[in-house]
Amino acid sequence: MNIRKAVLADSKGIAKVHVDSWRTTYKNIIPDEFLKKLSYDRRTELWNENIIKKGNYVFVAENSNGKIIGFADCGKRESNHVPESGDLTAIYLLEEYQGKGVGKRLLRKVFLQFEELGFNRIFVEVLEDNKTRHFYEYYGAELYKTEKITIAGAELNLLIYEWNNIGDVLIKF
């Protein structure tokens, strides 16, 4: 298992994980029609942009064969006006690699990046019905607020969690 900073050549592999993990993670949460229409090509374009975007940090997890099996994305959302804070915008893994410590290793890499940037408060958004929220709770994230959002006509609860001391999180690794 290898965790490293993403390069442009990783965009296609990240896009595959992104689409495939959305289809498994959000099954029965987001309408199937929406999930079926997700496009590897469009996601590849998105990750090309995300990887080169200033202030954005993308990390990949590779298996022993060098295949990308997960990724994490972090930085500071334009909508985040809280001083010295950042956002964990994504951690996704292929379903068969979940529960094996890969997410923990990606989270550690992201929090080391936040530490380097001098951020002390970190936010993450997760759908209420997404079991991943328990992963964030396990690592000390606390519910900050809840919002209603609509995805493909489905009204969903978006939970916004906060870590207010990244040192406490890093100690857990």
Side-chain angles (χ1 to χ4, degrees):
M1 182 71 53
N2 183 37
I3 307 289
R4 62 172 174 77
K5 190 167 183 177
V7 295
L8 271 175
D10 296 325
S11 293
K12 190 172 183 176
I14 294 169
K16 176 147 181 29
V17 170
H18 200 176
V19 169
D20 292 352
S21 64
W22 264 59
R23 288 180 176 155
T24 57
T25 300
Y26 298 118
K27 185 178 179 155
N28 301 319
I29 299 172
I30 295 175
D32 285 343
E33 284 305 309
F34 179 86
L35 296 174
K36 286 178 190 171
K37 291 180 182 176
L38 292 175
S39 161
Y40 295 121
D41 289 339
R42 284 197 296 269
R43 293 292 167 146
T44 298
E45 291 171 20
L46 169 79
W47 286 105
N48 280 332
E49 293 171 17
N50 286 343
I51 289 169
I52 63 171
K53 183 178 177 185
K54 186 176 182 223
N56 198 58
Y57 304 89
V58 183
F59 302 97
V60 294
E62 299 174 311
N63 67 12
S64 57
N65 297 326
K67 177 186 172 194
I68 294 174
I69 54 143
F71 69 91
D73 184 55
C74 67
K76 186 169 179 118
R77 294 181 194 268
E78 290 179 18
S79 59
N80 180 346
H81 302 292
V82 177
E84 298 177 348
S85 72
D87 298 280
L88 169 58
T89 51
I91 289 186
Y92 287 103
L93 304 172
L94 294 175
E95 189 173 45
E96 60 268 29
Y97 290 94
Q98 294 174 10
K100 298 181 185 217
V102 180
K104 174 183 177 178
R105 292 186 59 197
L106 281 166
L107 188 66
R108 179 180 185 277
K109 190 74 163 174
V110 164
F111 270 80
L112 288 170
Q113 181 66 59
F114 287 139
E115 182 179 54
E116 187 177 310
L117 293 167
F119 294 161
N120 16 350
R121 288 177 71 188
I122 307 303
F123 298 95
V124 63
E125 298 177 354
V126 61
L127 293 177
E128 183 175 45
D129 293 333
N130 180 346
K131 65 183 184 235
T132 305
R133 70 186 178 100
H134 303 295
F135 171 78
Y136 300 132
E137 291 167 354
Y138 178 81
Y139 286 102
E142 296 181 356
L143 187 61
Y144 178 71
K145 69 179 177 178
T146 303
E147 297 176 355
K148 294 274 187 201
I149 63 168
T150 303
I151 299 176
E155 188 173 283
L156 304 164
N157 287 326
L158 180 70
L159 306 179
I160 301 161
Y161 282 90
E162 170 191 23
W163 287 277
N164 58 22
N165 184 337
I166 67 166
D168 289 347
V169 180
L170 287 169
I171 266 177
K172 293 184 179 214
F173 298 114

